[in-house]
Amino acid sequence: MRHLILSVAVPALLLAAAPAAAQHSGHHPAGVVATTPPPHFPADLTPAGVRAADDHLALEEVDGAEAMAFVAASNRRALAALEGDRRYETFRAQAEAILTATDRIPSPSFLGDGIGNFWQDAANPKGVWRRTTLDSYRSGETQWETLVDVDALARAEGRDWVWKGADCLAPDETRCLISLSDGGKDAVTVREFDTTTRSFVDGGFVLPEGKHRIEWLDRDTLLVATDFGPNTLTESGYPFIVKTLKRGQTLDQAIEVYRGEQGDGGYGVSPGVYRDRDGAVQAVIITRPLDTFRSETWELIDGRPVQLAVPERLSIYGVVHGSLILSNDEAWTHLGETYEAGSLLSPCLICLRRPLPEGETAVANRAVRIFAPDERQAVSDVRVLHDRVLVGYTDNVVGKLAVFEDRGERGWIRTDIATPDNLAVNLGDSSKSRGQVFVSAQGFLTPPTLSLADAGAGSLETLRQAPAKFDASTHVVEQFEATSSDGTRIPYFVTRPRDLAMDGAAPTILFGYGGFQVSFPPAYKPEMGKLWLENGGVFVQANIRGGGEFGPQWHQAVLNENRQLAFDDFAAVARDLHARGITSPEHTGIYGRSNGGVLTSVSITQHPELFNAAVIESPLIDMLRYHELPAGASWIGEYGDPRIPEEAAWIARYSAYQQLRPDAEYPRVYITTNTRDDRVHPGHARKFAARLGDMGHDHLYYEETAGGHSNDADPIANARRWARHYVYLAQQLMD
């Protein structure tokens, strides 16, 4: 980690000196670009200078008196405007009916010799974890057995428990580590559960609240990375030490097996235990993040860590016949051969230290290409089975599926599996012992179909078809491309009425994300279809750079000093929509959350002339202080480090909190977040709303007080959330 702290004076013509695309920090009536810094732009860009220019630091205190008074006053105003709208109750009821519907597809996972599922509905808003057999799941009358009733548990213990998953020990999967969050935070408590008795294990493993990284090593041993006391967390609040925890031990009795450094970035050191189809351990891999995307990879051999010679940017999916299955997110030269970024590879780095499969020799140490996508393709997901790998990939953002079989010295043999055209294909849970993977396919107007893939047969068996939740017959889906500021073609999807008059009058939501190599293929959004499309709206999804739609290069093109290109991509899509007559600035609204909140807040400050609405949800906005708000420092690899002068300079050119101007013509925006969000600090949203108010700009701010970053705590509360979103968008774009 670099810690170069210098005083950085702000040039008088900072904005004029920026690239042309970065100069539009406010829309002025005469169309003149401002050449003076905004009124709250720091006098210097050191952390001290940024802090001195911030008049709303009190709003960073999550439960502080001033902050909560601001939240209460803002919430009263927002609820009056949104929930007081004549459409609100209809939208809320429609969204709740969708989110709690009992005819939804129960999302399955393999659990022992059966199927597990976590389910929420109106009767069980916190949810139940339950199980059934595969035959029963296939049937029209599935019989479920409840394992954990989270609503009942929360009532009994007086806690706002939110389910965060179960990790069960293969092969029988009767012992599970249950993660529960108090209020929806990322931090969880962990308890051991026995599925045979359907109860928590008396004297079993228990971990206090924290952002743990845990893996079963054997029935009586865990690998744990967590908060072990003072100076055992990084500045982002994530662990950097891994220990083995034996049954009956306390955390302070655990034995250290690996240690990174306190200055490590990313999301904390993480152990991974890879097993064969019988549950035997094949390899124990420890990933030590150096920053958001770069990491060291270590194998734990007889309790001793050994570093592996693999790329710093990679994803590891599993082990087949002693070989790692990984994708390299950077070009990698290994034993004299270079492998293109984004490939799926099988380097035999582990097998030299283990007995090799019959007929194979150590010469297999070279890396073997399993799959090399072309420039408009990308690996989207991988499931590793006994001797096969199931690969989901995208071709121009549309899903495809293939299975690759390891034939030893004959290499990997590919078999394509037919999937529906023009839909997204998503891989669910997999079972090595069964050689099966759950697969879903969906589109903007096509409800999900759940299938079971048999990797050996190369076949798909349809298990469930979700019913339609809105009338899709009125709309069509098209894919277009816009040209960004540097000439790059940016694809986007338009879901619009069939008989749309191309006169620019259609109320249109433009969605984008553009970060962390997260792809957004077509997806069935039933609440959007019901509340927006059925009312004549248009929905647009922009696949801007920063995502992973075309592999790691698509993401890395806009990292750090090149971030402005992602914002340019988004603006280019908006202009293309206007040029085609699909919509116009008056009827264009934008929506983004989390990293998408960076995108939407910057888009409003740089190009308010293009938009008339923005839902800015759970956002990062103060990009000059994001690293000081938990868990912001883990994202320095994405945005840059504001403590370094040259990096602070490029971040300052777009950071929306500092770029606000009182004389700009911003639309009335809607900013919303969650008090219990411990991933993206609520201070970002609060401060942006407060500064808009200081400058006299009309806006709405609402802060939910429970639920966390994921909005998965309660479907009934989530229905209210979506109703507020669409009431606001209707007010701005339809009224």
Side-chain angles (χ1 to χ4, degrees):
M1 183 67 68
R2 294 171 289 174
H3 294 284
L4 180 60
I5 309 296
L6 296 174
S7 177
V8 183
V10 179
L13 299 181
L14 172 70
L15 299 177
Q23 293 182 16
H24 303 287
S25 58
H27 177 59
H28 295 257
V32 177
V33 175
T35 57
T36 57
H40 289 279
F41 202 91
D44 69 76
L45 297 180
T46 64
V50 171
R51 184 180 181 87
D54 194 338
D55 51 356
H56 290 297
L57 289 173
L59 299 184
E60 294 180 359
E61 298 178 22
V62 174
D63 295 308
E66 182 177 336
M68 296 315 295
F70 171 81
V71 169
S74 298
N75 283 2
R76 285 193 296 271
R77 179 173 178 269
L79 292 180
L82 299 178
E83 296 189 3
D85 188 285
R86 58 182 172 79
R87 289 163 290 213
Y88 172 77
E89 181 53 31
T90 299
F91 283 2
R92 186 208 61 76
Q94 290 173 334
E96 183 175 316
I98 288 169
L99 296 175
T100 62
T102 57
D103 59 358
R104 289 173 291 136
I105 295 177
S107 179
S109 61
F110 292 101
L111 182 60
D113 58 0
I115 299 297
N117 164 254
F118 180 69
W119 180 260
Q120 293 171 295
D121 57 25
N124 304 277
K126 288 190 173 297
V128 293
W129 185 43
R130 56 191 189 171
R131 67 182 172 188
T132 189
T133 66
L134 180 57
D135 286 341
S136 180
Y137 187 86
R138 283 189 176 103
S139 73
E141 299 295 332
T142 303
Q143 300 299 307
W144 293 100
E145 176 189 24
T146 296
L147 296 172
V148 178
D149 183 331
V150 183
D151 295 87
L153 183 68
R155 287 192 298 270
E157 299 185 350
R159 303 289 292 275
D160 184 19
W161 288 132
V162 175
W163 178 263
K164 290 293 183 179
D167 178 13
C168 302
L169 176 63
D172 61 331
E173 298 185 312
T174 60
R175 288 297 179 95
C176 304
L177 300 174
I178 304 296
S179 294
L180 296 167
S181 164
D182 190 359
K185 295 178 288 187
D186 284 357
V188 298
T189 59
V190 177
R191 301 182 192 176
E192 186 179 3
F193 186 84
D194 188 336
T195 63
T196 60
T197 63
R198 294 185 295 167
S199 63
F200 290 104
V201 176
D202 186 22
F205 289 112
V206 176
L207 274 74
E209 183 177 84
K211 295 185 177 181
H212 314 296
R213 306 289 183 264
I214 310 173
E215 287 279 350
W216 288 99
L217 193 56
D218 57 49
R219 191 176 178 86
D220 296 310
T221 313
L222 302 180
L223 284 172
V224 179
T226 190
D227 183 352
F228 291 108
N231 300 315
T232 63
L233 296 178
T234 67
E235 63 177 333
S236 302
Y238 292 109
F240 63 92
I241 299 169
V242 180
K243 297 186 179 184
T244 56
L245 180 68
K246 294 286 187 180
R247 186 175 299 280
Q249 287 183 328
T250 59
L251 280 177
D252 59 359
Q253 295 173 318
I255 304 300
E256 182 176 318
V257 295
Y258 181 81
R259 175 181 290 258
E261 297 181 6
Q262 195 164 16
D264 289 348
Y267 304 106
V269 65
S270 180
V273 178
Y274 299 97
R275 302 177 187 276
D276 64 18
R277 60 183 171 184
D278 298 318
V281 174
Q282 295 174 295
V284 177
I285 302 295
I286 294 175
T287 301
R288 176 205 173 192
L290 303 175
D291 60 25
T292 314
F293 305 107
R294 298 184 308 111
S295 61
E296 292 177 351
T297 303
W298 298 71
E299 185 186 5
L300 201 62
I301 304 172
D302 298 326
R304 182 175 63 90
V306 176
Q307 188 171 1
L308 299 180
V310 293
E312 288 187 336
R313 292 177 181 264
L314 86 170
S315 297
I316 297 176
Y317 300 106
V319 177
V320 171
H321 293 162
S323 295
L324 287 176
I325 306 299
L326 61 84
S327 60
N328 54 315
D329 289 345
E330 61 186 8
W332 180 41
T333 300
H334 177 63
L335 296 181
E337 185 168 0
T338 299
Y339 303 91
E340 305 84 353
S343 300
L344 186 66
L345 305 175
S346 173
C348 194
L349 302 171
I350 294 174
C351 61
L352 294 178
R353 293 187 290 275
R354 309 196 184 289
L356 296 175
E358 185 177 352
E360 294 196 17
T361 63
V363 73
N365 191 38
R366 71 186 187 283
V368 177
R369 285 182 183 85
I370 301 175
F371 177 58
D374 67 28
E375 64 177 10
R376 301 299 279 184
Q377 295 178 331
V379 173
S380 56
D381 217 342
V382 176
R383 294 293 181 269
V384 177
L385 303 172
H386 170 60
D387 58 356
R388 290 172 171 84
V389 176
L390 192 67
V391 178
Y393 67 98
T394 57
D395 191 332
N396 205 30
V397 204
V398 173
K400 305 290 183 182
L401 193 62
V403 61
F404 296 83
E405 181 184 359
D406 182 12
R407 296 282 185 85
E409 299 212 359
R410 293 175 56 192
W412 290 83
I413 306 302
R414 171 175 177 164
T415 302
D416 290 313
I417 298 179
T419 56
D421 293 334
N422 301 317
L423 298 181
V425 176
N426 307 106
L427 302 186
D429 197 26
S430 62
S431 170
K432 271 195 171 184
S433 62
R434 306 185 203 187
Q436 296 174 327
V437 181
F438 290 112
V439 177
S440 66
Q442 60 182 308
F444 292 110
L445 300 176
T446 306
T449 295
L450 178 71
S451 301
L452 185 64
D454 185 310
S459 63
L460 282 180
E461 173 197 357
T462 299
L463 297 177
R464 300 284 182 102
Q465 172 69 57
K469 293 299 180 181
F470 62 90
D471 182 4
S473 66
T474 57
H475 281 61
V476 295
V477 177
E478 298 171 307
Q479 188 180 32
F480 299 110
E481 290 183 340
T483 302
S484 192
S485 57
D486 63 351
T488 300
R489 295 177 296 133
I490 309 301
Y492 65 94
F493 292 98
V494 176
T495 305
R496 64 168 180 83
R498 288 180 179 276
D499 57 356
L500 181 69
M502 299 297 182
D503 58 3
T508 300
I509 300 171
L510 171 58
F511 168 79
Y513 186 79
F516 295 92
Q517 205 167 321
V518 176
S519 300
F520 281 89
Y524 191 71
K525 305 174 189 293
E527 69 287 334
M528 183 275 293
K530 190 68 179 178
L531 277 58
W532 190 252
L533 297 183
E534 279 197 359
N535 289 305
V538 173
F539 179 78
V540 178
Q541 187 162 288
N543 299 115
I544 65 175
R545 283 173 288 183
E549 286 84 353
F550 299 126
Q553 300 92 329
W554 196 248
H555 167 234
Q556 294 167 22
V558 298
L559 292 181
N560 299 318
E561 70 272 23
N562 296 317
R563 198 69 185 183
Q564 182 60 44
L565 289 172
F567 311 136
D568 292 352
D569 293 354
F570 200 56
V573 172
R575 293 192 188 96
D576 202 61
L577 288 168
H578 301 161
R580 293 178 186 274
I582 293 172
T583 188
S584 60
E586 179 184 2
H587 297 289
T588 304
I590 56 178
Y591 169 62
R593 65 183 306 271
S594 194
N595 173 75
V598 183
L599 174 67
T600 47
S601 61
V602 171
S603 295
I604 287 299
T605 53
Q606 291 189 355
H607 296 291
E609 75 281 0
L610 294 179
F611 313 110
N612 195 35
V615 177
I616 305 172
E617 185 171 33
S618 305
L620 285 87
I621 298 182
D622 182 355
M623 299 305 293
L624 289 175
R625 277 182 60 78
Y626 84 91
H627 62 292
E628 300 193 42
L629 300 176
S634 62
W635 308 318
I636 282 174
E638 180 83 13
Y639 305 116
D641 191 339
R643 295 167 294 191
I644 299 171
E646 65 270 26
E647 299 186 17
W650 77 57
I651 294 169
R653 287 174 179 160
Y654 69 77
S655 182
Y657 182 55
Q658 286 79 19
Q659 288 290 347
L660 284 174
R661 294 179 178 273
D663 57 342
E665 297 176 5
Y666 305 127
R668 182 185 73 151
V669 300
Y670 174 40
I671 309 135
T672 180
T673 192
N674 193 293
T675 308
R676 300 277 77 87
D677 189 338
D678 58 346
R679 191 181 315 175
V680 178
H681 195 286
H684 287 278
R686 294 171 177 175
K687 296 197 302 179
F688 191 65
R691 185 160 289 175
L692 281 169
D694 294 344
M695 293 181 173
H697 296 301
D698 192 12
H699 68 283
L700 295 173
Y701 178 76
Y702 180 76
E703 183 171 316
E704 187 63 78
T705 55
H709 188 75
S710 301
N711 295 303
D712 57 359
D714 182 340
I716 296 173
N718 205 16
R720 296 194 295 266
R721 165 180 164 255
W722 281 120
R724 289 190 294 266
H725 287 11
Y726 285 107
V727 163
Y728 161 77
L729 290 163
Q731 289 174 348
Q732 293 296 114
L733 306 178
M734 290 181 172
D735 289 353

